[in-house]
Amino acid sequence: MDYRPQYHFSPPTGWLNDPNGLIWQDGEYHMFYQWHPSTEFDGAGMCWHHAVSTDLVHWKHLEVALAPDGLGAIWSGSAVADVANTSGLFEGAGGLAAVFTHHAPSHAERQSIAYSTDRGRTWRKYAGNPVLGDDTCRDFRDPKVFWHGSTQRWVMVVGVEHQLFHSPNLKDWTPLGKTGFTSECPDLFPVMVEGENQVLWVLSLGGRQVVVGDFDGRVFVPQTGPIEVDGGMDFYASQSWENIPGGRRVWVGWLNNWKYARQVPEFGARGFMTIPRELSLRRVAGKGLVLVQRPVPALEALRRDAWTIDVRGLQSGQPLAAGEALEIEATMRPGAGDCCGVKVAAAGGEETLVGYDAAAGCAFVDRERSGLAVTAGRFWVPMAVRGETVDVRVFVDRCSVEAFFNDGEAVISCQIYPTKSGGAVEWFSGNGKSAVREMRVHRLAAIHAQQRNNGAD
Ligand code: FRU
């Protein structure tokens, strides 16, 4: 089987893990990412590789942006647009600055900076690196930096024990204290609450959970406990894009898990990102604040053939469509005590189930019989029906399934490794008491040339 994702971001070769340096500038979305030229993770050799996009869906692969040097390998971090040249690294007009972790086994981790005057195409590391180190703290990495408008200074949140710093110039950093949470790859950003004229701050704990609260440029004050953002095991090291016009907040994660990241099959490369998701906050009855994630609208441009399924008298197990890169939209009415939903990648006894368990009150994805055992498992997210129905949007892409329930209120992301081709989409209702109100299936176009490694993408 060829597992190279068709419309998810993946590198043409090598190993990929975390997204890094996500920023919008002058009409371009930048994605840097943890990369190594072999398909194996090699902590001592990690680089930042680079790609750009104008729509967050189609990507142009560029060169390695930052490679290891005498201070160590280049681990995760972020990018900012230093438009006012606060750093003094630029002549006249500002440019992009990257803030990343220098990782060397001989030393505690330290933060360094690099700068680019040509829209991220080439980079120079600052001669005074590292700019921030703490010899008492070995696990001190993944700086996320942003401009805080009301205090007019840069703020950094850095893992693994979340520490906050501020700086006037990206070079000199003053401690602000700790958030009280720990994770790799923290992020901190403002998000609108739907239907309220209110912005709250989201502290991301590396992709698994977020905490919602207030941030005044100095102290993060939680309003919630940790909120689960993805019920699967494969949404990690997420990062949000800085500076998207209009205050939109979009993030992406590594669709993987360190537990088996080194074992999953290669596709010429190894590792890929989730689809980008636009974020908002919603107050949901019985749950409180929920981080809502919606696939970015630009993905709709990938829709090709569409099948509108005749839902009258739909039988479980009837093949409705087939393909390896699909989007399925369904509105289902779960019957009492039933488990219902869609099967995807169903072929020769293999199947992945995306559905709703009415007895448990949970949305779920079951990859127990998806194919290769390396990722086997079943994942649930508690979620109430809306009125009588549950909406689901499922994105299938060769070796992954991402399911968005009730307009992004619950999300489950999973790798799957089917061993049979021609996987079908089917409806299922365990006890026959559930119904489908509407269902559409779209075939999605590939974002890169079909043949892998042909250098065309
Ligand atoms: C998260 C992580 C980061 C680190 C990077 C190294 O997946 O462990 O903490 O900077 O990967 O590649």
Side-chain angles (χ1 to χ4, degrees):
M1 293 286 287
D2 183 352
Y3 291 119
R4 185 171 190 201
Q6 295 296 283
Y7 59 88
H8 284 75
F9 180 86
S10 66
T13 60
W15 163 281
L16 166 151
N17 56 297
D18 314 352
N20 295 151
L22 305 187
I23 190 160
W24 182 95
Q25 191 199 30
D26 299 337
E28 273 184 342
Y29 294 92
H30 292 268
M31 170 134 60
F32 300 89
Y33 55 93
Q34 286 288 282
W35 184 82
H36 186 266
S38 81
T39 51
E40 304 297 328
F41 177 73
D42 171 5
M46 294 312 285
C47 307
W48 277 27
H49 213 308
H50 188 201
V52 288
S53 169
T54 53
D55 64 1
L56 287 169
V57 174
H58 298 87
W59 293 93
K60 186 168 181 223
H61 293 278
L62 298 173
E63 306 296 317
V64 167
L66 299 170
D69 55 46
L71 291 171
I74 314 299
W75 280 24
S76 287
S78 50
V80 295
D82 183 13
V83 283
N85 194 15
T86 62
S87 60
L89 292 167
F90 306 97
E91 279 160 28
L96 284 180
V99 187
F100 57 90
T101 298
H102 259 128
H103 171 92
S106 58
H107 213 285
E109 288 166 333
R110 298 175 291 187
Q111 320 316 321
S112 291
I113 59 179
Y115 54 103
S116 168
T117 54
D118 57 359
R119 297 160 61 239
R121 275 27 180 207
T122 59
W123 290 83
R124 262 192 245 163
K125 293 188 186 120
Y126 171 51
N129 281 339
V131 294
L132 180 61
D134 172 357
D135 283 346
T136 64
C137 184
R138 287 199 77 77
D139 290 312
F140 184 54
R141 61 177 174 272
D142 310 338
K144 178 70 196 278
V145 177
F146 57 93
W147 178 251
H148 190 260
S150 35
T151 53
Q152 288 288 297
R153 57 198 193 190
W154 301 105
V155 171
M156 178 194 291
V157 55
V158 57
V160 172
E161 187 171 15
H162 291 183
Q163 301 191 55
L164 290 161
F165 296 85
H166 72 84
S167 169
N169 57 13
L170 298 170
K171 295 171 176 164
D172 304 301
W173 293 93
T174 307
L176 283 167
K178 296 179 180 174
T179 70
F181 297 91
T182 61
S183 75
E184 296 182 321
C185 304
D187 199 350
L188 182 58
F189 49 85
V191 176
M192 284 294 291
V193 186
E194 291 177 6
E196 297 174 20
N197 194 13
Q198 196 189 176
V199 169
L200 292 173
W201 284 77
V202 169
L203 174 68
S204 165
L205 314 185
R208 299 266 168 71
Q209 296 171 315
V210 295
V211 178
V212 181
D214 301 304
F215 181 65
D216 62 359
R218 300 189 142 266
V219 183
F220 177 75
V221 182
Q223 282 192 11
T224 69
I227 299 170
E228 188 173 68
V229 295
D230 196 306
M233 282 175 68
D234 293 341
F235 183 71
Y236 196 62
S238 61
Q239 189 177 110
S240 68
W241 269 273
E242 289 300 320
N243 293 5
I244 304 183
R248 288 170 68 209
R249 195 48 73 159
V250 177
W251 73 359
V252 74
W254 178 37
L255 210 160
N256 216 332
N257 189 308
W258 281 112
K259 206 169 160 197
Y260 41 64
R262 297 171 176 87
Q263 280 92 49
V264 293
E266 300 176 14
F267 46 84
R270 198 187 251 150
F272 57 103
M273 301 300 179
T274 65
I275 54 175
R277 301 141 180 218
E278 190 150 346
L279 304 179
S280 60
L281 289 165
R282 186 181 297 162
R283 291 190 204 273
V284 175
K287 259 195 157 176
L289 278 168
V290 168
L291 185 75
V292 171
Q293 304 179 65
R294 290 197 190 87
V296 291
L299 285 161
E300 289 167 28
L302 297 177
R303 290 176 179 174
R304 294 296 182 268
D305 316 319
W307 296 271
T308 301
I309 310 297
D310 182 358
V311 295
R312 286 166 305 174
L314 200 59
Q315 298 293 317
S316 287
Q318 198 180 318
L320 304 174
E324 46 189 14
L326 300 172
E327 177 191 346
I328 302 148
E329 303 173 281
T331 302
M332 23 196 211
R333 189 180 52 72
D338 198 15
C339 256
C340 66
V342 288
K343 283 185 187 175
V344 300
E350 294 179 355
E351 59 187 22
T352 300
L353 277 56
V354 180
Y356 191 74
D357 181 336
C362 285
F364 68 88
V365 172
D366 183 340
R367 59 176 183 183
E368 209 55 34
R369 293 175 303 282
S370 293
L372 299 180
V374 58
T375 57
R378 190 159 195 251
F379 307 97
W380 293 265
V381 183
M383 194 194 75
V385 294
R386 287 208 291 201
E388 295 189 309
T389 58
V390 169
D391 287 326
V392 65
R393 263 177 96 184
V394 189
F395 288 82
V396 182
D397 191 2
R398 287 192 168 172
C399 59
S400 67
V401 171
E402 285 160 279
F404 298 80
F405 298 92
N406 281 356
D407 191 27
E409 262 172 47
V411 183
I412 301 179
S413 306
C414 287
Q415 288 178 87
I416 55 168
Y417 288 94
T419 66
K420 317 261 184 340
S421 55
V425 176
E426 299 171 6
W427 158 252
F428 71 92
S429 166
N431 65 12
K433 288 188 180 160
S434 304
V436 199
R437 287 270 170 84
E438 277 173 63
M439 188 164 169
R440 272 170 85 74
V441 181
H442 308 268
R443 187 176 63 78
L444 299 186
I447 58 168
H448 50 74
Q450 288 297 320
Q451 265 183 314
R452 64 178 199 222
N453 297 341
N454 63 358
D457 56 349

